[in-house]
Amino acid sequence: MTLEREVRARDGVRLVLDERGRGDPPLLLIHGNSCDAAFLTPQSEYFSPRHRVIVPDLRGHGRSDKPEGPFDFKTLVGDLALICKELDLRGLVAVGHSLGGALAVRLAAFRPDLVAGVVALDSRLLPPPDLDLWLPGLRDRLRAESSPLAARAFFDSMFTPEADPGVREWVLSRVEETPRRVLLALIELYADPGYEQALRDLRCPLLCVSADHPRVDSRALRRLVPGVVQAQVACGGHFLTLEVPEQVNVMIERFLRIKLAVS
């Protein structure tokens, strides 16, 4: 059974989340930019028979309130920490897809007392080296075009040619529901200066799972987190939680068993 709950952020924003299952360690599943809790349904369903699973809609997304802002890392991580406090979550494993992976790392770095492990699913854990070349153009396109086609094209480019058409269309129609200002604000987080320091501050096991075309430099990541476990799915694009959940789920499960001694 899934229980829908609400938590009020410190600035009054209403955060809606799903809770299901029982068992330790609890799993906090964190979606990415312009997504919502439904993007992690295959993981929630798979792990809830053995774990307590919490899946929030981040501020600006899904059922949660959609304020004008702020949408910086400090605010988003603060929301997650507050959810952990309100639900009495400790020793959790933070599993994040895309932006959610970067949030999971920062939550673990900021509140090591709460997080026992981090799983990042096709996440930009480091800014790309050519950020200055493509971010201004992307920003301008998304700001200039009032039609949702610019945002749709942005997310459509993240699929491989082999992607299931049904999954592709579901994702593209779903991301269009997120306000453009939220998408733009979160894209600005690519340029945040704190990525490397957050990884250096990480004190728990990290699993980084990439799609067909990895979004992070594996050697640079290993320099910052020598013990990182890196993996890659086969024939899966950016939305790997939906495209190849059977691969993603068993990787997370093995990581829990080997690195966190979860039976």
Side-chain angles (χ1 to χ4, degrees):
M1 182 180 73
T2 301
L3 176 65
E4 183 176 287
R5 301 182 62 169
E6 294 184 6
V7 172
R8 288 282 174 179
R10 298 191 189 283
D11 58 358
V13 170
R14 184 178 60 98
L15 304 171
V16 181
L17 60 90
D18 292 328
E19 178 177 2
R20 62 193 302 175
R22 297 176 62 183
D24 292 324
L27 305 184
L28 177 65
L29 308 186
I30 311 167
H31 67 76
N33 187 351
S34 299
C35 303
D36 56 37
F39 283 69
L40 292 153
T41 296
Q43 289 67 50
S44 178
E45 291 179 344
Y46 185 84
F47 287 102
S48 58
R50 302 174 300 285
H51 297 269
R52 185 185 182 194
V53 180
I54 309 298
V55 198
D57 285 339
L58 299 174
R59 62 171 57 213
H61 297 79
R63 300 156 295 174
S64 293
D65 285 348
K66 299 172 179 60
E68 291 300 315
F71 295 101
D72 54 274
F73 272 121
K74 181 178 179 180
T75 300
L76 295 169
V77 172
D79 288 347
L80 295 173
L82 183 63
I83 288 172
C84 293
K85 177 183 177 182
E86 293 295 320
L87 275 60
D88 193 27
L89 295 172
R90 290 183 180 273
L92 65 88
V93 177
V95 179
H97 169 243
S98 195
L99 170 65
L103 292 173
V105 168
R106 301 225 180 185
L107 178 64
F110 174 60
R111 292 296 305 273
D113 57 311
L114 297 178
V115 183
V118 171
V119 177
L121 303 173
D122 208 39
S123 301
R124 286 199 187 277
L125 300 183
L126 290 167
D130 59 348
L131 181 66
D132 292 342
L133 298 178
W134 61 262
L135 182 58
L138 173 63
R139 182 191 295 132
D140 292 345
R141 286 196 304 276
L142 292 174
R143 284 176 176 168
E145 298 185 32
S146 58
S147 130
L149 292 178
R152 186 181 179 93
F154 172 64
F155 288 105
D156 192 34
S157 68
M158 299 178 187
F159 285 94
T160 64
E162 303 80 26
D164 179 279
V167 171
R168 187 179 202 142
E169 185 54 40
W170 183 88
V171 168
L172 295 178
S173 62
R174 196 92 173 186
V175 297
E176 290 175 356
E177 299 175 9
T178 301
R180 183 68 58 86
R181 68 179 186 278
V182 177
L183 168 62
L184 284 165
L186 294 179
I187 282 175
E188 293 300 325
L189 296 184
Y190 285 143
D192 184 88
Y195 284 92
E196 288 194 9
Q197 191 58 54
L199 289 166
R200 289 192 184 98
D201 292 341
L202 200 61
R203 295 293 179 266
C204 64
L206 169 64
L207 168 64
C208 181
V209 180
S210 297
D212 269 359
H213 303 289
R215 297 159 67 86
V216 64
D217 184 321
S218 61
R219 284 184 286 188
L221 181 59
R222 192 169 296 281
R223 282 196 298 269
L224 293 166
V225 187
V228 62
V229 178
Q230 300 190 65
Q232 186 174 14
V233 300
C235 303
H238 178 61
F239 294 96
L240 68 178
T241 60
L242 298 168
E243 294 182 63
V244 286
E246 68 286 350
Q247 295 183 49
V248 170
N249 293 344
V250 296
M251 288 180 183
I252 297 172
E253 189 171 50
R254 183 164 178 80
F255 173 74
L256 295 178
R257 185 166 63 251
I258 300 299
K259 293 297 182 180
L260 297 174
V262 176
S263 59

